[in-house]
Amino acid sequence: MEKLVITGPTSLKGEVEISGAKNAAVAILPATLLINGVCTIENLPDISDVKIYCEILESLGAKITWQDKHTITVDSRNITSTTAPLDITRKFRASYYLIGSLLGRCGRAEVGLPGGCNLGPRPIDQHIKGFEALGATVNVSSGNIVASCNGLKGTSIYMDIVSVGATLNVILASVLAEGTTIIDNPAKEPHVVDLANFLNTMGADIRGAGTDIIKINGVKELKGGTTYSVVPDQIEAGTFMLAAIATKGDILVKNCITKHLESLTAKILEIGGNVDSNGDHVRVWWDKPTTKATIKTLPYPGFPTDLQPQMGVCLALSKGTSIINESIWDSRFQYTYELNKMGANITSKGQSAFFEGVDKLYGAPVYASDLRAGAALIIAGIAAEGKTEIYNLNHIDRGYEDIEGKFRKLGANIERVKEED
Ligand code: EPU
């Protein structure tokens, strides 16, 4: 078992380069199955979710060649199976994008159905509603989801709730469908736009991604033959912006799209932090004690749930009583119990958490309950006095490239240590 050992406090200072976006990469990789040709994808983050996805694609017949640790060439001319490895896909939520891709390309998909997770229940009713509207039959049995069709036909689909996954899955399924598909009330996250841009580069006809209506004119074939670079990760960028504030530091976050960070920038300014945004880089620095705020997580362009725990660390250290209302996930306050072990004063009740600001946090052994909780605990450990040990690193490694290396370069005293089980 590995753990991260952090000795603090350190005020983080310096520059950090942001990697490609995890949540765009895990949609673009299955999208390569729609291409009857070869394509190259650059700026993939070097994380375990990407490696697992590549293994799944290879098991379905795609040929993957690694050019370097961030670039692959995928040859999807021969798809040999429509059943994804069920044991892997059952544990790996983003595998549900294989349903849209395989249905669109091959007319059949079988994938292990992901269950609930540490964030609470994760239903996929909107994905299924979309596939059925396009003409597929969907059956769920023995923990697997099997979707099949005799050709998909474009139609109008209204999403009852704004769902990133359902929006992406319906785009994937409809790219090769006959006629036009309209998605009303779609998610507008940057990775929705990135998937549409990738598919359009490969020959699709998708319009309106990032707006209230997405229109997909089905095409006969995606030919590939070109290169695409994954968008920078706005959540990784936001994680370092918040680390600058929580550790009383000064960080230049490079290779990000500051437009994607507007809701976070507004909240950092509101609590008294400083932000200087400049297109593809942003400097964030602390020069005075921060103050309380009230935050509600919302779909993009609202405040992202995936930055809620990292913001929680800043509010735990800000003067006054702050409130966070988590409107996307049922169980995203588990990190607050760990922060309380470090001296924070946070009470969570249902979808809300109340932060009574404290002056200092103190190092303690803590457990990452999910990816973003893990990032929040690293920030807390760097800000805290003394030694923090963080366990359950598998969550963190799923989604952050070389996180301890990047924090170490900013001055953090952080080491990955192997521990006997
Ligand atoms: N929902 C339904 N029915 C559905 C789909 C979603 O009720 O068919 C509900 C969910 O239970 C949730 C809300 O709708 O309450 C939003 O879920 P969404 O489908 O938007 O989330 P997702 O696609 O499963 C992605 C990210 C998450 C991120 C959310 C919200 C990926 C691989 N995952 O999940 O990222 O929190 O959007 O922005 O893109 C993370 O990166 O740490 C992470 C959890």
Side-chain angles (χ1 to χ4, degrees), residues 22-24 26-27 49 93-94 96-97 117 119-129 159 161-168 187 189 191 235 298-300 304-306 326-330 332 370-373 398-400:
K22 166 185 97 79
N23 289 344
V26 297
D49 269 12
R93 289 208 60 83
Y96 52 38
Y97 296 132
C117 71
L119 304 178
R122 290 182 83 159
I124 58 164
D125 55 299
Q126 296 302 305
H127 304 234
I128 294 175
K129 172 181 159 170
M159 295 282 171
I161 40 166
V162 177
S163 159
V164 173
T167 303
L168 293 174
E189 267 68 3
H191 31 294
I235 302 301
L298 288 168
Y300 188 84
T305 173
D306 294 343
E326 170 57 59
S327 81
I328 311 287
W329 299 119
D330 284 349
R332 211 167 204 175
D370 66 80
L371 172 61
R372 309 304 172 187
R398 276 188 42 228
Y400 283 96

